[in-house]
Amino acid sequence: MSWHPQYRSSKFRHVYGKPASKEKCYDCVPITRNVHDNHFCAVNPHFIAVVTECAGGGAFLVIPIHQTGKLDPHYPKICGHKGNVLDIKWNPFNDFVIASCSEDATVKIWDIPKHLLTRNITTPKQELLGHVRRVGLIEWHPTANNILFSSGYDYKIMIWNLDSQEPVISNPVKILDVHKDVVLSMSFNTDGSLLATACRDRKIRLIDPRAGMVLQVASYKSHRVNKVLFLGNMKKLFSTGTSRWNNRQIALWDQNDLSVPLLEEDLDGSSGLLFPFYDSDTHMLYVVGKGDGNIRYYEISPEKPYLNYLMEYRSHLPQKGIGMMPKRGLEVSACEIFRFYKLIPTKSLIEPISMIVPRRSESYQEDIYPLTMGAHPALTAQEWLNGVNKGPVLVSLRPGSADLNSLPQFLEPEPLLKTKDLSQHWGGGRKTPPEDVQKPSAIEDSRKQMKVEEKLPKNEQVCLTNGFDVFECPPPKTENELLQMFYRQQDEIRHLRELVNQRDVQIKQLELELRNVCMDTGRY
């Protein structure tokens, strides 16, 4: 009989939740009293949007993320819907575009100005008309630009391509009519090629959205599902719901076999819904209870027992809804790995809660901040509709770093020209001097240099030192800041040395290839 230790080694075992101080909360916010089971809040690094109470139609607020404290009672609203707003979601690739759906059976896309709002916004950028009953859920595609999914009480999921410049779109590119009841939850896998749904008929469906085919169905009788979530690249699904005895319950499923859950666990006897959130960078799972103040968090592992309980954040203030900040908006200097925005309607308050890994060092902690999803799409809408799958564009959260796709092109080994291609290019067996051979590579280098220069904004004075902006990062004032900048420069120097070494290796490879080609052409 094998013995399993009660505690397992994990860098996230001591993660704790830290509520923001009163000055950093959002006070006097008229949070909606709607009983619809949704988050009612959406957050990005620039704004926090929250569904609000409004007479005669539906509305929501968009507040700059740094504008904390008491909110002006006459603060402008986005109020173009004729019914209550049921869901809002920020575009993951444009922090100034938000989508909303409502009881008026419409989905609207809004442009949010970069300056402070001075008046109500009533005219949307685009309006999507296709559902015949109220629309309860919307989701943006995780990797393709301008692809939006909407689900209504007509039991249909509609896929919209927002690349169209028309203000009113009435024809979705695809309609998924595979459900027999209301869809309660939608979730994508990492590259957006699969869609998991939870339906009121208590079934989980795994769908290929472009083909419109149901790949698998889970109809486990002892688990009545409410919310379902893909666990990144773990090939697993996580669901929350209730048991036969109406206890709140969580379940873990194998993506390739939904007949029986891998794990099933009752939590408590409360009646509130459970909202799951997954951080694929740290493999941490957060379960937030609606109607209570608790946030349970677990660590997911690929082997048994799969779900490892870490701790629970407790508060006496119940939450009506919850928002989540994307990873690129976190404060890495404080070792913050997740941030919730808790809606407390009894106090008209939005309270940020930071999940923090306790560390003594103030330098950048690379082990808890792996490469994460950035704000650039990996695909265009048409590419995804044509069947292309691609994972998200990854970025580093290290201060001063850039997206991976904007690094110099010679980081990747360039494909070497084959002998046949070179001989055809030189016109049979005629010898060509080495200077002419090197011209194509020189042209490629100049093109790459031009691409890098085009990315810099025009008519803007930029002063860069070892990869970060001097005007954006002022000189260090304390010893810790000086050490942090020193370590950052050391990393930059090490990185540049690696690039130079890679370049030297590629030059030698090209020289050997050219020498072999010249010898082969000389024989003929």
Side-chain angles (χ1 to χ4, degrees):
M1 181 177 178
S2 61
W3 176 77
H4 296 281
Q6 186 176 0
Y7 297 104
R8 55 189 293 273
S9 176
S10 171
K11 66 184 80 169
F12 304 110
R13 199 175 74 190
H14 301 291
V15 170
Y16 66 95
K18 180 182 178 182
S21 60
K22 183 73 173 177
E23 296 78 20
K24 294 184 179 179
C25 294
Y26 305 84
D27 204 358
C28 302
V29 180
I31 300 168
T32 181
R33 306 283 176 175
N34 197 312
V35 295
H36 191 72
D37 290 328
N38 254 341
H39 298 157
F40 295 125
C41 181
V43 189
N44 69 24
H46 292 92
F47 300 104
I48 175 171
V50 58
V51 180
T52 182
E53 284 291 300
C54 179
F60 61 96
L61 294 167
V62 174
I63 308 168
I65 201 73
H66 298 297
Q67 188 178 327
T68 54
K70 286 189 176 182
L71 187 72
D72 184 355
H74 302 291
Y75 189 83
K77 299 180 176 68
I78 287 85
C79 50
H81 283 287
K82 296 178 182 177
N84 289 329
V85 176
L86 300 181
D87 198 10
I88 49 177
K89 293 282 168 59
W90 287 105
N91 187 332
F93 311 120
N94 189 340
D95 289 341
F96 300 94
V97 172
I98 189 170
S100 63
C101 63
S102 166
E103 290 181 350
D104 61 9
T106 66
V107 179
K108 297 182 189 290
I109 312 299
W110 308 87
D111 268 338
I112 306 300
K114 296 184 180 181
H115 54 79
L116 289 176
L117 292 178
T118 55
R119 57 184 178 82
N120 289 348
I121 298 179
T122 57
T123 306
K125 175 186 177 183
Q126 287 177 311
E127 189 172 7
L128 314 181
L129 305 176
H131 291 280
V132 295
R133 298 184 65 186
R134 59 179 173 171
V135 186
L137 281 175
I138 47 176
E139 285 289 344
W140 293 92
H141 193 275
T143 60
N145 196 24
N146 286 333
I147 290 287
L148 182 70
F149 283 58
S150 64
S151 172
Y153 277 63
D154 51 7
Y155 310 160
K156 294 178 182 178
I157 296 176
M158 297 189 180
I159 307 175
W160 305 88
N161 182 359
L162 305 184
D163 279 345
S164 172
Q165 299 300 321
E166 298 178 4
V168 177
I169 303 176
S170 55
N171 294 318
V173 294
K174 187 79 177 178
I175 298 177
L176 306 179
D177 192 5
V178 296
H179 297 88
K180 299 179 181 178
D181 211 326
V182 178
V183 176
L184 303 175
S185 174
M186 294 189 292
S187 177
F188 290 98
N189 64 344
T190 305
D191 61 5
S193 60
L194 295 175
L195 176 71
T197 63
C199 185
R200 194 175 281 174
D201 62 5
R202 304 177 184 178
K203 293 181 181 179
I204 298 174
R205 290 173 175 85
L206 193 62
I207 303 170
D208 182 344
R210 284 170 296 203
M213 293 173 52
V214 177
L215 305 178
Q216 287 197 65
V217 179
S219 55
Y220 196 62
K221 292 183 179 179
S222 66
H223 180 70
R224 293 179 289 184
V225 64
N226 283 322
K227 299 291 179 183
V228 67
L229 186 68
F230 259 105
L231 298 184
N233 289 322
M234 302 285 287
K235 298 270 180 96
K236 291 180 176 61
L237 293 171
F238 180 83
S239 64
T240 64
T242 55
S243 67
R244 290 178 178 175
W245 298 274
N246 284 332
N247 291 325
R248 293 201 294 190
Q249 190 181 63
I250 58 176
L252 193 68
W253 308 80
D254 183 357
Q255 176 183 318
N256 300 318
D257 181 14
L258 297 182
S259 57
V260 179
L262 297 172
L263 182 144
E264 198 177 14
E265 182 180 335
D266 287 8
L267 295 185
D268 53 38
S270 299
S271 59
L273 206 66
L274 293 172
F275 294 117
F277 296 89
Y278 181 64
D279 181 3
S280 58
D281 302 333
T282 60
H283 303 297
M284 285 185 65
L285 176 73
Y286 302 86
V287 180
V288 182
K290 182 181 179 181
D292 57 57
N294 300 343
I295 301 176
R296 298 173 177 86
Y297 40 104
Y298 305 81
E299 191 170 7
I300 302 293
S301 59
E303 298 88 18
K304 288 184 178 181
Y306 304 118
L307 200 65
N308 301 286
Y309 176 78
L310 293 176
M311 211 176 290
E312 183 176 1
Y313 169 81
R314 295 187 177 183
S315 170
H316 66 282
L317 296 173
Q319 55 237 4
K320 167 83 173 183
I322 203 88
M324 178 200 74
M325 173 67 79
K327 294 296 285 285
R328 54 193 173 88
L330 299 181
E331 190 177 347
V332 296
S333 59
C335 296
E336 183 184 33
I337 58 170
F338 218 78
R339 190 191 304 164
F340 293 103
Y341 286 79
K342 177 178 173 179
L343 305 186
I344 309 172
T346 55
K347 291 182 173 289
S348 298
L349 187 73
I350 303 176
E351 181 186 41
I353 300 172
S354 298
M355 311 307 292
I356 293 175
V357 179
R359 295 281 174 95
R360 291 183 179 179
S361 174
E362 294 183 6
S363 61
Y364 179 74
Q365 305 293 310
E366 200 158 0
D367 61 324
I368 62 174
Y369 294 116
L371 297 177
T372 188
M373 181 177 173
H376 297 286
L379 296 167
T380 64
Q382 197 56 49
E383 285 175 339
W384 183 78
L385 291 171
N386 291 339
V388 180
N389 292 326
K390 193 178 288 187
V393 177
L394 301 180
V395 298
S396 172
L397 296 180
R398 181 186 292 274
S401 62
D403 298 357
L404 282 192
N405 64 342
S406 63
L407 288 175
Q409 296 292 327
F410 54 79
L411 274 174
E412 301 177 1
E414 299 176 359
L416 296 175
L417 294 176
K418 295 183 180 179
T419 307
K420 291 183 180 179
D421 299 336
L422 280 173
S423 60
Q424 291 175 2
H425 180 69
W426 292 345
R430 182 174 58 88
K431 288 190 178 181
T432 307
E435 291 81 2
D436 295 335
V437 176
Q438 294 176 358
K439 280 184 181 178
S441 61
I443 292 172
E444 288 296 322
D445 290 340
S446 64
R447 285 178 182 172
K448 290 168 186 172
Q449 188 174 358
M450 288 173 64
K451 286 182 181 178
V452 173
E453 290 173 356
E454 284 173 2
K455 290 180 181 179
L456 292 175
K458 295 181 180 179
N459 301 325
E460 186 175 335
Q461 185 180 1
V462 179
C463 183
L464 296 176
T465 304
N466 287 340
F468 62 93
D469 193 347
V470 172
F471 299 111
E472 187 177 343
C473 303
K477 297 179 181 179
T478 64
E479 185 178 353
N480 287 331
E481 290 180 0
L482 185 64
L483 281 173
Q484 188 174 358
M485 188 166 289
F486 170 74
Y487 292 137
R488 191 187 306 164
Q489 289 182 344
Q490 291 294 318
D491 290 341
E492 290 286 341
I493 292 170
R494 194 180 303 111
H495 182 61
L496 289 173
R497 283 176 179 166
E498 291 176 358
L499 296 184
V500 171
N501 291 335
Q502 290 180 9
R503 194 66 171 172
D504 290 340
V505 171
Q506 290 179 5
I507 289 171
K508 290 179 180 178
Q509 289 177 348
L510 287 173
E511 286 177 350
L512 289 173
E513 185 71 20
L514 288 172
R515 190 179 304 166
N516 293 334
V517 170
C518 290
M519 290 175 64
D520 291 340
T521 54
R523 290 173 185 172
Y524 297 105

